[in-house]
Amino acid sequence: MAMEMKMKEALPYIGMVSTQFAQVGLMIVGKKAMSTGMTNFTFVFYSNALASLILLPSFFFYRSTRPPLNFSLICGFFLLGVLGCSAQLTGYAGINYTSASFASAMLNLIPGFTFVLAVIFRMEKLDYRSTSTLIKSVGTVVSIAGAFTATLYKGPQIFLSSSSLKPQNYLHFQETDWVIGGLYLVVDCIAASAYLIVQASILKNYPVELIVVFFYCFFSSILSAIVSLFMDMNINAWMLQSGTRLFAVLYSGVFGSAFQVSVMFWCVRRRGPLFVAMFHPLGIVIAAALGIIFLGDIFYLGSLVGSIVIVVGFYAVMWGKTQEKKVDEDHLSRNINSKAPLLQIKDAETEV
């Protein structure tokens, strides 16, 4: 019995670690596929098209319990597709210019940018007299500073594999490419943050996550196909005859969407969003190790320093959110206790 209880307690941790491996694996297979001539446009199309097919049964499974669809919701789903497609296209472009470890570090900017957008749209309260607000604000600024450090300062090499000693890798990681890739990833984080804000707004009116994700993938696949037809007329980019390309598409559709989204949703329901967010920095370590082993990525001092600064800022924002939640719970508890005597008096009068 005790062993069973411990296993249940450990499952959310195992689940979140597995999602971080899935996320980093998605970056690595995506970069590998693009190195064979597949563009980020076609890769995003195939990934979302496959994910849509995998999630299609959920649309019929919730047919009797889901709220009715209307034009306003469809427009919201389309906006999710626009933001998600933009995030994926710029994200994979950034990975192609830089490395999986660098991209994983930059993803920790999302909580900071989300906080800024939440304040703008009044979804997050901003009390300058509150310590938690001050810490969240400082953490956001620190995270952004870390991103600029990692983007603009590359520095000397720290870790490199034997495959990264090849001359073409040095040509690929030019200073200009590194900065361009970093800017693409910043745009990716901004689009992803806006996606989370819109998603939170939609889920208030339509709380069926799997159907929302289905429509998001459906519209993302259509949009990425349209963009690809205009931006890349090379028919070879659409071919899946390569084993690397086919594996990358299958991996991204199954593990990058269906598996990862399902596990994260399961963990959010049991431990809350803060628990899920705390595992993001783990991706940096996983990405650095796997990127060096499988892709011959070069790890630079600027990436290390920037990653550390981003993680410090990330945890500052998360700590501020935790303190804010505790304050809200204390206020709620006091309000209930203050009303309790009045309720007791009313009960006594009723008994008399």
Side-chain angles (χ1 to χ4, degrees):
M1 191 69 177
M3 180 66 72
E4 187 178 342
M5 289 294 293
K6 287 181 180 179
M7 192 61 188
K8 286 183 178 179
E9 286 291 318
L11 276 177
Y13 293 91
I14 297 170
M16 281 311 304
V17 171
S18 66
T19 61
Q20 290 302 309
F21 273 100
Q23 175 66 37
V24 174
L26 180 60
M27 295 178 182
I28 291 175
V29 298
K31 183 170 181 177
K32 203 75 174 176
M34 287 183 284
S35 69
T36 66
M38 190 178 196
T39 65
N40 56 324
F41 307 109
T42 52
F43 183 67
V44 170
F45 163 72
Y46 281 124
S47 300
N48 285 288
L50 179 58
S52 299
L53 290 174
I54 294 172
L55 294 167
L56 182 60
S58 66
F59 188 79
F60 300 100
F61 181 78
Y62 291 103
R63 182 172 53 185
S64 58
T65 57
R66 60 178 170 82
L69 294 170
N70 54 48
F71 181 73
S72 177
L73 280 170
I74 296 297
C75 289
F77 295 152
F78 179 76
L79 180 58
L80 277 180
V82 171
L83 293 171
C85 182
S86 302
Q88 290 181 73
L89 291 176
T90 53
Y92 284 120
I95 293 169
N96 199 33
Y97 276 108
T98 57
S99 67
S101 56
F102 181 81
S104 183
M106 294 290 280
L107 287 180
N108 288 289
L109 279 173
I110 293 175
F113 284 140
T114 304
F115 170 65
V116 172
L117 291 174
V119 170
I120 293 173
F121 290 101
R122 298 183 179 181
M123 297 176 71
E124 191 81 26
K125 60 184 180 180
L126 195 62
D127 183 5
Y128 291 105
R129 296 169 297 179
S130 169
T131 304
S132 61
T133 298
L134 181 63
I135 293 295
K136 285 193 297 183
S137 303
V138 171
T140 301
V141 173
V142 169
S143 292
I144 295 171
F148 277 108
T149 301
T151 302
L152 301 176
Y153 172 66
K154 193 157 67 168
Q157 301 164 7
I158 301 177
F159 302 113
L160 64 162
S161 66
S162 57
S163 61
S164 63
L165 294 172
K166 297 177 183 179
Q168 60 266 29
N169 280 37
Y170 287 103
L171 291 173
H172 180 74
F173 288 106
Q174 295 174 357
E175 291 288 347
T176 305
D177 288 352
W178 198 260
V179 173
I180 292 172
L183 293 176
Y184 269 124
L185 290 167
V186 169
V187 175
D188 169 26
C189 293
I190 294 172
S193 300
Y195 166 82
L196 291 174
I197 297 295
V198 174
Q199 184 188 55
S201 177
I202 290 175
L203 287 174
K204 287 182 180 178
N205 302 317
Y206 201 86
V208 188
E209 288 82 358
L210 287 179
I211 293 180
V212 174
V213 175
F214 162 74
F215 275 108
Y216 152 69
C217 293
F218 175 72
F219 283 122
S220 292
S221 61
I222 294 174
L223 290 166
S224 56
I226 294 171
V227 172
S228 183
L229 289 173
F230 279 99
M231 297 295 293
D232 188 5
M233 303 299 292
N234 183 10
I235 194 68
N236 180 59
W238 292 86
M239 298 300 177
L240 293 178
Q241 75 276 14
S242 166
T244 301
R245 294 187 188 186
L246 183 60
F247 174 78
V249 168
L250 291 173
Y251 180 95
S252 62
V254 177
F255 291 99
S257 295
F259 168 78
Q260 192 179 7
V261 171
S262 300
V263 173
M264 290 183 73
F265 174 60
W266 183 83
C267 291
V268 166
R269 281 199 305 172
R270 281 154 181 76
R271 292 301 184 92
L274 183 62
F275 174 83
V276 173
M278 296 297 278
F279 282 83
H280 277 288
L282 178 63
I284 300 174
V285 180
I286 298 171
L290 296 183
I292 291 169
I293 294 170
F294 294 106
L295 293 178
D297 283 345
I298 305 170
F299 200 64
Y300 294 95
L301 178 63
S303 297
L304 177 63
V305 174
S307 300
I308 293 171
V309 175
I310 290 172
V311 170
V312 170
F314 168 83
Y315 278 119
V317 173
M318 291 298 102
W319 185 87
K321 287 291 295 178
T322 306
Q323 295 303 113
E324 206 169 67
K325 186 178 179 182
K326 287 180 180 178
V327 170
D328 290 340
E329 288 174 352
D330 289 341
H331 285 168
L332 181 62
S333 178
R334 287 172 187 171
N335 289 336
I336 293 172
N337 291 333
S338 65
K339 291 178 181 177
L342 295 175
L343 294 173
Q344 290 170 5
I345 292 171
K346 285 185 178 180
D347 291 341
E349 289 175 350
T350 305
E351 288 174 3
V352 172

mmCIF file of all heavy atoms in Angstrom, residues 1-19 263 266-267 270-271 275 279 282:
data_model
loop_
_atom_site.group_PDB
_atom_site.id
_atom_site.type_symbol
_atom_site.label_atom_id
_atom_site.label_comp_id
_atom_site.label_asym_id
_atom_site.label_seq_id
_atom_site.Cartn_x
_atom_site.Cartn_y
_atom_site.Cartn_z
ATOM 1 N N MET A 1 0.833 -1.203 0.000
ATOM 2 C CA MET A 1 0.000 0.000 0.000
ATOM 3 C C MET A 1 0.875 1.263 0.000
ATOM 4 O O MET A 1 0.612 2.228 -0.720
ATOM 5 C CB MET A 1 -0.907 -0.013 1.240
ATOM 6 C CG MET A 1 -1.981 1.045 1.210
ATOM 7 S SD MET A 1 -3.241 0.713 -0.040
ATOM 8 C CE MET A 1 -4.365 2.061 0.239
ATOM 9 N N ALA A 2 1.901 1.247 0.849
ATOM 10 C CA ALA A 2 2.800 2.402 0.931
ATOM 11 C C ALA A 2 3.556 2.591 -0.380
ATOM 12 O O ALA A 2 3.754 3.721 -0.836
ATOM 13 C CB ALA A 2 3.792 2.215 2.085
ATOM 14 N N MET A 3 3.948 1.467 -0.987
ATOM 15 C CA MET A 3 4.656 1.532 -2.264
ATOM 16 C C MET A 3 3.753 2.114 -3.354
ATOM 17 O O MET A 3 4.193 2.906 -4.190
ATOM 18 C CB MET A 3 5.128 0.123 -2.653
ATOM 19 C CG MET A 3 5.883 0.073 -3.980
ATOM 20 S SD MET A 3 7.457 0.960 -3.923
ATOM 21 C CE MET A 3 8.418 -0.162 -2.900
ATOM 22 N N GLU A 4 2.473 1.735 -3.318
ATOM 23 C CA GLU A 4 1.513 2.246 -4.308
ATOM 24 C C GLU A 4 1.316 3.757 -4.149
ATOM 25 O O GLU A 4 1.223 4.497 -5.146
ATOM 26 C CB GLU A 4 0.182 1.520 -4.138
ATOM 27 C CG GLU A 4 -0.828 1.855 -5.232
ATOM 28 C CD GLU A 4 -2.123 1.079 -5.070
ATOM 29 O OE1 GLU A 4 -2.109 0.065 -4.335
ATOM 30 O OE2 GLU A 4 -3.117 1.499 -5.666
ATOM 31 N N MET A 5 1.260 4.208 -2.896
ATOM 32 C CA MET A 5 1.102 5.644 -2.631
ATOM 33 C C MET A 5 2.318 6.430 -3.124
ATOM 34 O O MET A 5 2.187 7.513 -3.700
ATOM 35 C CB MET A 5 0.909 5.874 -1.137
ATOM 36 C CG MET A 5 -0.436 5.412 -0.610
ATOM 37 S SD MET A 5 -1.809 6.385 -1.287
ATOM 38 C CE MET A 5 -1.480 7.973 -0.519
ATOM 39 N N LYS A 6 3.511 5.874 -2.887
ATOM 40 C CA LYS A 6 4.737 6.538 -3.339
ATOM 41 C C LYS A 6 4.787 6.611 -4.859
ATOM 42 O O LYS A 6 5.245 7.603 -5.432
ATOM 43 C CB LYS A 6 5.966 5.782 -2.815
ATOM 44 C CG LYS A 6 6.216 5.964 -1.325
ATOM 45 C CD LYS A 6 7.466 5.215 -0.887
ATOM 46 C CE LYS A 6 7.718 5.404 0.604
ATOM 47 N NZ LYS A 6 8.918 4.648 1.046
ATOM 48 N N MET A 7 4.299 5.554 -5.518
ATOM 49 C CA MET A 7 4.288 5.526 -6.976
ATOM 50 C C MET A 7 3.347 6.592 -7.530
ATOM 51 O O MET A 7 3.665 7.282 -8.510
ATOM 52 C CB MET A 7 3.856 4.140 -7.469
ATOM 53 C CG MET A 7 4.091 3.921 -8.955
ATOM 54 S SD MET A 7 5.838 4.061 -9.373
ATOM 55 C CE MET A 7 5.745 3.990 -11.161
ATOM 56 N N LYS A 8 2.187 6.748 -6.888
ATOM 57 C CA LYS A 8 1.251 7.777 -7.314
ATOM 58 C C LYS A 8 1.837 9.169 -7.129
ATOM 59 O O LYS A 8 1.602 10.075 -7.935
ATOM 60 C CB LYS A 8 -0.060 7.646 -6.526
ATOM 61 C CG LYS A 8 -0.927 6.472 -6.957
ATOM 62 C CD LYS A 8 -2.238 6.457 -6.191
ATOM 63 C CE LYS A 8 -3.119 5.299 -6.664
ATOM 64 N NZ LYS A 8 -4.408 5.248 -5.924
ATOM 65 N N GLU A 9 2.578 9.360 -6.047
ATOM 66 C CA GLU A 9 3.219 10.654 -5.792
ATOM 67 C C GLU A 9 4.313 10.935 -6.820
ATOM 68 O O GLU A 9 4.545 12.090 -7.203
ATOM 69 C CB GLU A 9 3.827 10.671 -4.380
ATOM 70 C CG GLU A 9 2.815 10.786 -3.259
ATOM 71 C CD GLU A 9 2.153 12.156 -3.232
ATOM 72 O OE1 GLU A 9 2.855 13.164 -3.410
ATOM 73 O OE2 GLU A 9 0.926 12.211 -3.054
ATOM 74 N N ALA A 10 4.995 9.872 -7.254
ATOM 75 C CA ALA A 10 6.116 10.049 -8.184
ATOM 76 C C ALA A 10 5.684 10.221 -9.627
ATOM 77 O O ALA A 10 6.433 10.785 -10.432
ATOM 78 C CB ALA A 10 7.065 8.853 -8.075
ATOM 79 N N LEU A 11 4.478 9.775 -9.979
ATOM 80 C CA LEU A 11 4.028 9.803 -11.378
ATOM 81 C C LEU A 11 4.057 11.198 -12.008
ATOM 82 O O LEU A 11 4.520 11.353 -13.145
ATOM 83 C CB LEU A 11 2.633 9.193 -11.496
ATOM 84 C CG LEU A 11 2.570 7.665 -11.599
ATOM 85 C CD1 LEU A 11 1.119 7.191 -11.629
ATOM 86 C CD2 LEU A 11 3.318 7.174 -12.835
ATOM 87 N N PRO A 12 3.575 12.256 -11.317
ATOM 88 C CA PRO A 12 3.656 13.591 -11.931
ATOM 89 C C PRO A 12 5.089 14.026 -12.233
ATOM 90 O O PRO A 12 5.345 14.665 -13.267
ATOM 91 C CB PRO A 12 3.006 14.509 -10.885
ATOM 92 C CG PRO A 12 2.108 13.611 -10.103
ATOM 93 C CD PRO A 12 2.820 12.305 -10.054
ATOM 94 N N TYR A 13 6.032 13.673 -11.356
ATOM 95 C CA TYR A 13 7.437 14.013 -11.589
ATOM 96 C C TYR A 13 7.979 13.263 -12.808
ATOM 97 O O TYR A 13 8.659 13.846 -13.656
ATOM 98 C CB TYR A 13 8.272 13.676 -10.346
ATOM 99 C CG TYR A 13 7.952 14.525 -9.143
ATOM 100 C CD1 TYR A 13 6.993 14.129 -8.223
ATOM 101 C CD2 TYR A 13 8.621 15.736 -8.930
ATOM 102 C CE1 TYR A 13 6.692 14.925 -7.113
ATOM 103 C CE2 TYR A 13 8.328 16.524 -7.820
ATOM 104 C CZ TYR A 13 7.363 16.115 -6.916
ATOM 105 O OH TYR A 13 7.073 16.896 -5.838
ATOM 106 N N ILE A 14 7.655 11.974 -12.871
ATOM 107 C CA ILE A 14 8.089 11.171 -14.024
ATOM 108 C C ILE A 14 7.477 11.716 -15.307
ATOM 109 O O ILE A 14 8.139 11.819 -16.346
ATOM 110 C CB ILE A 14 7.697 9.691 -13.821
ATOM 111 C CG1 ILE A 14 8.411 9.107 -12.602
ATOM 112 C CG2 ILE A 14 8.015 8.871 -15.068
ATOM 113 C CD1 ILE A 14 7.913 7.726 -12.188
ATOM 114 N N GLY A 15 6.194 12.082 -15.228
ATOM 115 C CA GLY A 15 5.501 12.619 -16.396
ATOM 116 C C GLY A 15 6.129 13.906 -16.900
ATOM 117 O O GLY A 15 6.340 14.072 -18.113
ATOM 118 N N MET A 16 6.463 14.838 -16.008
ATOM 119 C CA MET A 16 7.021 16.118 -16.424
ATOM 120 C C MET A 16 8.442 15.969 -16.955
ATOM 121 O O MET A 16 8.822 16.660 -17.911
ATOM 122 C CB MET A 16 6.991 17.112 -15.265
ATOM 123 C CG MET A 16 5.629 17.735 -15.024
ATOM 124 S SD MET A 16 4.838 18.375 -16.523
ATOM 125 C CE MET A 16 6.077 19.509 -17.134
ATOM 126 N N VAL A 17 9.224 15.082 -16.361
ATOM 127 C CA VAL A 17 10.566 14.832 -16.894
ATOM 128 C C VAL A 17 10.468 14.259 -18.301
ATOM 129 O O VAL A 17 11.213 14.635 -19.205
ATOM 130 C CB VAL A 17 11.362 13.877 -15.968
ATOM 131 C CG1 VAL A 17 12.665 13.452 -16.624
ATOM 132 C CG2 VAL A 17 11.655 14.552 -14.632
ATOM 133 N N SER A 18 9.495 13.356 -18.507
ATOM 134 C CA SER A 18 9.319 12.755 -19.837
ATOM 135 C C SER A 18 8.890 13.806 -20.862
ATOM 136 O O SER A 18 9.303 13.743 -22.029
ATOM 137 C CB SER A 18 8.300 11.621 -19.773
ATOM 138 O OG SER A 18 7.004 12.110 -19.461
ATOM 139 N N THR A 19 8.073 14.794 -20.466
ATOM 140 C CA THR A 19 7.678 15.845 -21.409
ATOM 141 C C THR A 19 8.857 16.723 -21.796
ATOM 142 O O THR A 19 8.918 17.206 -22.938
ATOM 143 C CB THR A 19 6.556 16.738 -20.834
ATOM 144 O OG1 THR A 19 7.020 17.391 -19.645
ATOM 145 C CG2 THR A 19 5.307 15.932 -20.534
ATOM 146 N N VAL A 263 0.030 14.602 -21.249
ATOM 147 C CA VAL A 263 0.723 14.445 -19.962
ATOM 148 C C VAL A 263 0.743 15.758 -19.189
ATOM 149 O O VAL A 263 0.512 15.779 -17.965
ATOM 150 C CB VAL A 263 2.161 13.921 -20.186
ATOM 151 C CG1 VAL A 263 2.947 13.929 -18.880
ATOM 152 C CG2 VAL A 263 2.129 12.514 -20.757
ATOM 153 N N TRP A 266 -2.603 16.381 -17.709
ATOM 154 C CA TRP A 266 -2.795 15.482 -16.567
ATOM 155 C C TRP A 266 -2.069 16.017 -15.326
ATOM 156 O O TRP A 266 -2.610 16.014 -14.217
ATOM 157 C CB TRP A 266 -2.281 14.099 -16.937
ATOM 158 C CG TRP A 266 -2.485 13.050 -15.883
ATOM 159 C CD1 TRP A 266 -3.613 12.329 -15.653
ATOM 160 C CD2 TRP A 266 -1.519 12.617 -14.916
ATOM 161 N NE1 TRP A 266 -3.417 11.463 -14.601
ATOM 162 C CE2 TRP A 266 -2.146 11.610 -14.124
ATOM 163 C CE3 TRP A 266 -0.204 12.967 -14.642
ATOM 164 C CZ2 TRP A 266 -1.481 10.971 -13.093
ATOM 165 C CZ3 TRP A 266 0.458 12.326 -13.603
ATOM 166 C CH2 TRP A 266 -0.173 11.342 -12.844
ATOM 167 N N CYS A 267 -0.852 16.517 -15.522
ATOM 168 C CA CYS A 267 -0.062 17.055 -14.403
ATOM 169 C C CYS A 267 -0.648 18.359 -13.876
ATOM 170 O O CYS A 267 -0.641 18.605 -12.665
ATOM 171 C CB CYS A 267 1.387 17.269 -14.830
ATOM 172 S SG CYS A 267 2.309 15.738 -15.124
ATOM 173 N N ARG A 270 -3.523 17.698 -11.541
ATOM 174 C CA ARG A 270 -3.185 17.097 -10.260
ATOM 175 C C ARG A 270 -2.273 17.962 -9.391
ATOM 176 O O ARG A 270 -2.365 17.920 -8.165
ATOM 177 C CB ARG A 270 -2.517 15.721 -10.484
ATOM 178 C CG ARG A 270 -3.543 14.657 -10.782
ATOM 179 C CD ARG A 270 -2.985 13.507 -11.586
ATOM 180 N NE ARG A 270 -4.028 12.520 -11.857
ATOM 181 C CZ ARG A 270 -4.975 12.678 -12.768
ATOM 182 N NH1 ARG A 270 -5.005 13.774 -13.494
ATOM 183 N NH2 ARG A 270 -5.897 11.757 -12.953
ATOM 184 N N ARG A 271 -1.390 18.738 -10.009
ATOM 185 C CA ARG A 271 -0.428 19.514 -9.235
ATOM 186 C C ARG A 271 -0.472 21.018 -9.511
ATOM 187 O O ARG A 271 0.185 21.769 -8.814
ATOM 188 C CB ARG A 271 0.993 18.996 -9.504
ATOM 189 C CG ARG A 271 1.250 17.596 -8.968
ATOM 190 C CD ARG A 271 1.039 17.532 -7.454
ATOM 191 N NE ARG A 271 1.364 16.238 -6.931
ATOM 192 C CZ ARG A 271 2.573 15.885 -6.467
ATOM 193 N NH1 ARG A 271 3.571 16.757 -6.498
ATOM 194 N NH2 ARG A 271 2.777 14.677 -6.005
ATOM 195 N N PHE A 275 3.604 23.773 -10.787
ATOM 196 C CA PHE A 275 4.390 22.543 -10.762
ATOM 197 C C PHE A 275 4.932 22.233 -12.153
ATOM 198 O O PHE A 275 6.096 21.869 -12.319
ATOM 199 C CB PHE A 275 3.516 21.391 -10.264
ATOM 200 C CG PHE A 275 4.171 20.044 -10.321
ATOM 201 C CD1 PHE A 275 5.017 19.625 -9.313
ATOM 202 C CD2 PHE A 275 3.942 19.181 -11.382
ATOM 203 C CE1 PHE A 275 5.629 18.380 -9.355
ATOM 204 C CE2 PHE A 275 4.538 17.940 -11.443
ATOM 205 C CZ PHE A 275 5.376 17.534 -10.427
ATOM 206 N N PHE A 279 9.535 22.792 -14.254
ATOM 207 C CA PHE A 279 10.384 21.812 -14.932
ATOM 208 C C PHE A 279 11.015 22.356 -16.211
ATOM 209 O O PHE A 279 11.830 21.677 -16.828
ATOM 210 C CB PHE A 279 9.580 20.545 -15.255
ATOM 211 C CG PHE A 279 9.379 19.639 -14.078
ATOM 212 C CD1 PHE A 279 8.361 19.875 -13.170
ATOM 213 C CD2 PHE A 279 10.218 18.559 -13.857
ATOM 214 C CE1 PHE A 279 8.162 19.051 -12.070
ATOM 215 C CE2 PHE A 279 10.042 17.728 -12.769
ATOM 216 C CZ PHE A 279 9.003 17.971 -11.875
ATOM 217 N N LEU A 282 14.881 22.337 -16.675
ATOM 218 C CA LEU A 282 15.480 21.011 -16.864
ATOM 219 C C LEU A 282 15.771 20.759 -18.338
ATOM 220 O O LEU A 282 16.731 20.061 -18.683
ATOM 221 C CB LEU A 282 14.532 19.939 -16.316
ATOM 222 C CG LEU A 282 14.972 18.478 -16.478
ATOM 223 C CD1 LEU A 282 16.253 18.220 -15.701
ATOM 224 C CD2 LEU A 282 13.856 17.543 -16.010
#
